[in-house]
Amino acid sequence: MPLLEEVDTVEPDQRMALAVDLSKCNIEHGGGPFGACIFESETGKLISAGVNLVVPANCSVAHAEMVAIILAQQAFESFTLAEKGEFELVTSSEPCAQCFGAIPWSGVKRVIYGAPKADVEAIGFDEGPKPRAWKEKLEERGIEVKGPVRRNSASAVLRAYAKMGHAIYNG
């Protein structure tokens, strides 16, 4: 995988690989085991990338999805991506309750996730209260949901994080 600065467009099957690679790199540098990217849906152009910064930033809302959304909206100088085209959020793990809540307002039209909630909670994280029919709730708002994608590689990062003894916050 090329350096992030060298990424212009990413093919659909490699988008999750990039999010998972970001999560793996992040745990090696003291962050949480989560990575997320915003891509232009049709072209695969990378708009933003985020990693979980909860512990290093001492900020409970600094989840990878939130960081990716913030950076994409700042790049477009807009509080919603819906005005700027069709975008997808590719995240290494199923969105938690907080990120689920932010997705409809972000303006993305598709969410693709790697590890499911069960894999995240298996290492001790509390993903918060989210409707059982969360996928359907997003789809009712015109947001397609796909996953798990590359579950094995995404979940391997979670297990590596736990094995390293890093903080399991909100557990």
Side-chain angles (χ1 to χ4, degrees):
M1 183 68 63
L3 294 174
L4 192 55
E5 295 85 24
E6 298 171 353
V7 175
D8 185 27
T9 60
V10 181
E11 295 302 316
D13 63 328
Q14 292 300 310
R15 294 175 194 177
M16 181 59 70
L18 179 57
V20 171
D21 284 349
L22 287 169
S23 69
K24 183 178 180 187
C25 183
N26 199 45
I27 68 172
E28 293 167 357
H29 291 91
F34 308 99
C37 301
I38 303 279
F39 292 97
E40 192 172 70
S41 295
E42 189 174 317
T43 66
K45 180 180 180 184
L46 177 65
I47 304 302
S48 66
V51 292
N52 181 285
L53 300 172
V54 170
V55 172
N58 294 309
C59 180
S60 63
V61 299
H63 293 197
E65 298 93 333
M66 302 298 284
V67 173
I69 290 167
I70 289 167
L71 293 174
Q73 291 176 340
Q74 288 177 343
F76 285 117
E77 298 180 343
S78 177
F79 61 86
T80 179
L81 298 174
E83 297 175 346
K84 304 300 179 178
E86 190 167 307
F87 300 92
E88 61 189 34
L89 170 65
V90 179
T91 177
S92 64
S93 295
E94 178 181 322
C96 69
Q98 171 190 254
C99 297
F100 165 77
I103 287 169
W105 294 312
S106 71
V108 300
K109 292 297 181 190
R110 184 176 300 110
V111 175
I112 303 168
Y113 68 92
K117 175 182 178 177
D119 294 1
V120 178
E121 290 182 339
I123 68 163
F125 282 103
D126 176 0
E127 293 296 272
K130 190 169 68 175
R132 286 182 192 213
W134 70 275
K135 292 179 186 181
E136 291 81 2
K137 295 292 184 190
L138 291 179
E139 289 169 354
E140 287 171 6
R141 292 174 168 257
I143 302 167
E144 179 186 351
V145 179
K146 183 179 177 184
V149 173
R150 293 187 180 246
R151 178 180 183 175
N152 291 340
S153 59
S155 296
V157 176
L158 295 169
R159 290 188 302 276
Y161 179 83
K163 188 175 182 179
M164 295 166 84
H166 290 309
I168 303 290
Y169 43 89
N170 298 336

